[in-house]
């Protein structure tokens, strides 16, 4: 009977152990790869789910645009004027409570052009003592800040860029040069190309209130219909009552 030398037994044992460790390492790597693949799939599913939720939220937001048919009014008093505002018109939920407030922040959807989606307009109603009308600012402030060149593109309005000083860089004032009480809006360039330029316009109402309006510059093409449509929304809540 052949006897295996001790050295060969040690070598065989060492090789067997090495093979076992290698097999275990390979199995471990397989488990790691499997787990990583599972994690990657889970992340992908979560991303798809998040995208679906964002899309759904966007659709719901689109469906829930404020309307002149909205009811469920909340009564708030601004600058001594009692307003009856549909709950769906408030921009911020924390303001939906009756009582006296310094201002109300609302959202209107103005139907400015036929067969076009309504223009979303953010409206802040406050006392006129703290907000100068844009038409007054035209002569008192903007006129002295105009650059030499003009901008075209909005029929009936003149566009004048403001000098890049005093915080006016990238801003343009659009106004009606033929009216004694002109339509005036100051528009700022969007910080990135994917977003629309934004315009700001303040008007004084006849009862001591001021309306500060913020809207996309795309709505300027229908500026002649702007105030007539705005009257429907302000009139519904009593903002035009004396």
């Amino acid at each position: 009977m052949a006897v295996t030398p001790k050295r060969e037994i040690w070598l065989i044992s060492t090789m067997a152990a090495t093979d076992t460790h290698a097999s275990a390492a390979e199995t471990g790597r397989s488990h790691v790869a499997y787990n990583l693949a599972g994690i990657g799939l889970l992340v992908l599913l979560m991303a798809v789910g998040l995208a679906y939720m964002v899309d759904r939220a966007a659709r719901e937001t689109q469906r829930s645009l404020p309307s002149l048919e909205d009811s469920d009014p909340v009564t708030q008093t601004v600058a001594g004027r009692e307003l009856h505002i549909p709950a769906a018109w408030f921009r911020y939920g924390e303001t939906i409570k009756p009582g006296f407030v310094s201002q109300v922040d609302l959202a209107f959807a103005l139907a400015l052009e036929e067969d076009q989606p309504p223009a979303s307009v953010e409206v802040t109603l406050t006392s006129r003592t703290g907000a100068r009308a844009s038409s007054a600012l035209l002569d008192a402030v903007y006129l002295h800040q105009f650059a030499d060149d003009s901008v075209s593109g909005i029929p009936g309005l003149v566009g004048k860029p403001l000098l890049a000083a005093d915080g006016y860089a990238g801003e343009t004032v659009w106004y009606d040069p033929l009216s004694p009480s002109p339509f005036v809006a100051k528009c700022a360039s969007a910080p990135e190309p994917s977003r629309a330029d934004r315009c700001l316009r303040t008007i004084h109402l006849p009862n001591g209130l001021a309306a500060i309006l913020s809207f996309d510059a795309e709505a300027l093409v229908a500026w002649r219909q702007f105030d007539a449509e705005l009257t429907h929304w302000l009139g519904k809540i009593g903002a035009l009552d004396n």
Side-chain angles (χ1 to χ4, degrees):
M1 179 178 179
V3 177
T4 304
K6 291 183 178 181
R7 179 175 176 79
E8 293 184 11
I9 294 175
W10 177 80
L11 289 173
I12 293 172
S13 300
T14 301
M15 293 175 62
T18 301
D19 291 341
T20 301
H21 292 160
S23 177
E26 184 65 30
T27 301
R29 285 194 293 269
S30 298
H31 287 166
V32 170
Y34 178 80
N35 290 338
L36 289 176
I39 292 172
L41 179 60
L42 180 61
V43 170
L44 177 61
L45 291 175
M46 291 176 63
V48 172
L50 180 61
Y52 172 78
M53 292 174 63
V54 170
D55 180 69
R56 182 177 179 181
R59 291 176 183 272
E60 290 178 353
T61 300
Q62 204 172 38
R63 285 197 299 267
S64 62
L65 284 175
S67 167
L68 285 171
E69 306 302 320
D70 289 332
S71 54
D72 189 22
V74 177
T75 300
Q76 293 190 337
T77 301
V78 182
R81 304 297 170 181
E82 194 172 83
L83 307 177
H84 308 283
I85 308 166
W89 292 15
F90 286 87
R91 292 210 309 271
Y92 309 115
E94 62 268 22
T95 62
I96 305 179
K97 56 184 180 181
F100 291 85
V101 294
S102 60
Q103 66 180 49
V104 290
D105 299 301
L106 310 176
F108 293 175
L110 306 187
L112 299 177
E113 297 183 90
E114 189 176 356
D115 300 327
Q116 294 294 326
S120 178
V121 179
E122 295 180 354
V123 181
T124 295
L125 296 176
T126 187
S127 171
R128 64 189 296 171
T129 58
R132 297 182 68 181
S134 296
S135 56
L137 290 173
L138 178 63
D139 291 330
V141 178
Y142 299 150
L143 182 64
H144 306 288
Q145 301 293 338
F146 283 162
D148 293 334
D149 55 334
S150 297
V151 181
S152 61
I154 308 297
L157 294 182
V158 173
K160 294 290 291 185
L162 296 176
L163 296 172
D166 300 326
Y168 290 125
E171 297 187 348
T172 300
V173 172
W174 294 90
Y175 66 97
D176 172 15
L178 303 178
S179 173
S181 299
F183 177 101
V184 180
K186 180 165 69 71
C187 303
S189 300
E192 54 188 48
S194 61
R195 298 173 60 181
D197 293 351
R198 198 73 180 167
C199 299
L200 191 67
R201 180 184 179 220
T202 300
I203 58 175
H204 283 176
L205 306 182
N207 56 8
L209 291 175
I212 303 171
L213 316 173
S214 177
F215 52 92
D216 286 349
E218 298 168 352
L220 285 176
V221 295
W223 66 273
R224 289 187 175 90
Q225 289 76 41
F226 203 101
D227 287 352
E229 180 65 14
L230 186 64
T231 297
H232 298 319
W233 292 74
L234 294 174
K236 179 179 173 69
I237 64 177
L240 299 178
D241 297 342
N242 292 319

